Amino acid sequence: MPTIVLIGAQWGDEGKGKATDLLGERVEWVVRYQGGNNAGHTVVLPDGQDFALHLIPSGILTPGVTNVIGNGVVVDPGVLLDELATLQARSVDTERLLISADAHLIMPYHVEIDRVTERYLGKSKIGTTGRGIGPAYQDKVARVGVRVQDLLDEKILRQKVEAALEFKNQVLVKVYNRRALDAEHVVDTVLEQGARFAHRIADTRLLLDEALRRGETVLLEGSQGTLLDVDHGTYPFVTSSNPTAGGACAGAGIGPTKISAVVGILKAYTTRVGSGPFPTELHDAMGERLRKAGGEVGVTTGRARRVGWFDAVIGRYAARVNGITDFFLTKLDVLSGLDVVPVCVAYKVNGRRTDEMPMTQTDVHHAVPVYEDMPGWWEDLSRCRTFDELPANARAYVARVEELCGARISAIGVGPGRDQTITLHRLS
């Protein structure tokens, strides 16, 4: 029963869309298992077309693949419909997209509360995208959330919305001095949106189990990355769900004994979006060089990403908490043209060296990177298709990253295109 989990091994934006697209040719199902439209995947097809996906799994671009928005995802109905319309306008077949009946909906009041709360926090803000993801997950955990299946029962939907707004309007009006939302309008809007994708709502847990019993391959695709996991990330500067491999089982409804491989996506350097600690961050001209060369702008937010050198402490941590079997190292080509490429091999915290992630939030904030300088290379890597075609120094860099992170590197990205990948081992 081959089930592959694909996770970000840093702070997200590692190139998971490229990996999903690559694997998509060998799988029958692709499942998005957590997050919302606060993250995005960019996929570049061989003909040069590029697609930015936010809610819909990257497998939508591979003919014959059934795509699932799993129960662990929070879905903004308007965003979903817009994304479907954009794909359909570009002649992408979206008929094989299903949505778990148990996924939760991002309601208009979630978006409003997210935005005003972040503004209210000022300098203490977490750096959310303001798309309602956090408040939707809060309602899910508090057991007052609205699920996709509620779109099929107007009475239940109306009861839930009225109960939610009885409290949330008080917060909006009395705490944040905002206008109250009308329950009738919210219900009517969401019902109208839901009617347009009601045929996609399904018991996806059952369908996935049946697919695995038939011997079909399922790819579980997360958004964000390990260090943004609400339990295992740099809390509180994290997302509100579990992008780590353990979250894949809960967010898709597939048992852990059915997982056959966990593929971690590593960028050849490190980036993150939003607030929070970032030990190897570069604030100089080199950081700007990497940002420009790597096109480091958030797919969903449009925000410039923070950029730094590769952090092997994070790589080891990701391998450990996810049980990673294979790494996919992306954007190696961006490092071309450097005399020296530093790699963070450890931290110093209060003058003491540590090779592992510090235990406390305070120590992570005060971690100072310990660097090992690797010799750089000047060659263009974009046409390399085998490991031996890479320059010697690039091969040495890959080998050192693999050694430091503790799991094999099975694929290397040398450009944004679907074909710009060097495969060392089969990712399954």
Side-chain angles (χ1 to χ4, degrees):
M1 294 180 288
T3 305
I4 305 167
V5 180
L6 190 70
I7 57 97
Q10 294 157 316
W11 275 286
D13 304 309
E14 302 93 349
K16 293 183 292 296
K18 179 181 175 68
T20 303
D21 184 56
L22 179 69
L23 287 164
E25 297 180 352
R26 301 209 308 267
V27 304
E28 286 85 10
W29 297 73
V30 177
V31 184
R32 169 77 178 274
Y33 64 81
Q34 54 77 222
N37 57 297
N38 55 340
H41 293 156
T42 300
V43 178
V44 181
L45 300 184
D47 61 5
Q49 290 190 81
D50 63 276
F51 291 83
L53 303 170
H54 306 281
L55 271 175
I56 297 174
S58 302
I60 199 71
L61 300 174
T62 303
V65 172
T66 301
N67 293 267
V68 173
I69 295 177
N71 58 276
V73 179
V74 287
V75 179
D76 184 316
V79 170
L80 174 63
L81 291 171
D82 287 345
E83 192 166 337
L84 282 168
T86 299
L87 290 170
Q88 290 161 357
R90 298 180 65 179
S91 301
V92 175
D93 182 5
T94 64
E95 287 304 307
R96 297 176 72 95
L97 174 69
L98 300 173
I99 306 166
S100 170
D102 291 329
H104 278 245
L105 292 175
I106 298 173
M107 303 295 286
Y109 46 81
H110 292 139
V111 178
E112 184 65 19
I113 288 174
D114 196 5
R115 290 173 178 170
V116 298
T117 301
E118 192 75 350
R119 284 197 295 266
Y120 182 80
L121 289 172
K123 291 183 179 180
S124 300
K125 66 182 180 181
I126 294 173
T128 77
T129 59
R131 286 166 167 77
I133 281 80
Y137 276 116
Q138 289 174 21
D139 277 5
K140 174 180 177 176
V141 174
R143 295 166 293 179
V144 294
V146 178
R147 296 189 292 178
V148 168
Q149 62 179 274
D150 296 332
L151 296 171
L152 306 178
D153 190 323
E154 181 177 344
K155 182 178 180 181
I156 288 179
L157 176 66
R158 193 173 300 279
Q159 288 174 349
K160 288 189 173 184
V161 171
E162 289 174 351
L165 285 179
E166 188 174 343
F167 170 73
K168 296 181 192 300
N169 273 338
Q170 297 289 322
V171 174
L172 287 171
V173 173
K174 296 182 179 179
V175 177
Y176 296 115
N177 196 30
R178 292 293 188 271
R179 185 176 301 173
L181 299 179
D182 179 65
E184 193 74 22
H185 177 70
V186 170
V187 170
D188 289 345
T189 299
V190 175
L191 280 175
E192 186 277 327
Q193 293 170 330
R196 294 160 62 187
F197 60 82
H199 62 290
R200 301 180 185 273
I201 301 172
D203 182 351
T204 56
R205 281 186 300 250
L206 176 61
L207 295 177
L208 290 168
D209 182 71
E210 291 173 345
L212 289 170
R213 290 178 184 278
R214 290 193 299 268
E216 297 174 4
T217 301
V218 176
L219 178 64
L220 306 182
E221 171 188 67
S223 63
Q224 289 101 15
T226 298
L227 274 294
L228 290 179
D229 188 281
V230 69
D231 287 294
H232 305 293
T234 49
Y235 190 91
F237 303 99
V238 294
T239 194
S240 299
S241 57
N242 293 110
T244 45
C249 295
I254 292 177
T257 57
K258 296 178 182 178
I259 304 299
S260 55
V262 179
V263 179
I265 314 304
L266 280 173
K267 195 175 286 184
Y269 47 99
T270 311
T271 63
R272 79 169 294 174
V273 173
S275 306
F278 186 174
T280 66
E281 184 172 11
L282 295 168
H283 300 280
D284 56 10
M286 181 57 71
E288 189 58 31
R289 180 194 184 284
L290 291 176
R291 185 179 295 109
K292 288 182 178 179
E296 298 299 348
V297 177
V299 176
T300 295
T301 64
R303 293 184 291 183
R305 295 173 185 143
R306 300 159 63 190
V307 179
W309 296 121
F310 184 83
D311 190 332
V313 178
I314 288 173
R316 284 193 293 275
Y317 178 73
R320 174 159 54 87
V321 300
N322 291 291
I324 288 173
T325 58
D326 303 83
F327 278 122
F328 187 145
L329 186 69
T330 63
K331 292 197 171 184
L332 184 64
D333 55 300
V334 174
L335 298 180
S336 291
L338 302 178
D339 289 321
V340 175
V341 185
V343 176
C344 172
V345 297
Y347 298 149
K348 277 194 174 180
V349 181
N350 298 323
R352 299 183 64 180
R353 175 174 170 137
T354 176
D355 294 330
E356 301 295 343
M357 280 292 290
M359 183 179 71
T360 68
Q361 177 182 339
T362 300
D363 284 351
V364 174
H365 274 277
H366 292 110
V368 177
V370 176
Y371 286 114
E372 177 182 303
D373 287 342
M374 298 289 294
W377 59 91
W378 290 84
E379 295 89 339
D380 177 9
L381 309 186
S382 62
R383 295 184 182 276
C384 296
R385 294 297 179 270
T386 68
F387 189 70
D388 289 341
E389 290 175 346
L390 292 173
N393 288 348
R395 296 198 302 270
Y397 183 82
V398 172
R400 184 58 175 147
V401 167
E402 181 178 74
E403 179 184 27
L404 289 166
C405 293
R408 71 180 187 181
I409 292 176
S410 292
I412 303 166
V414 291
R418 177 182 275 180
D419 62 333
Q420 291 179 301
T421 301
I422 296 171
T423 302
L424 304 178
H425 307 284
R426 184 178 173 86
L427 291 171
S428 63

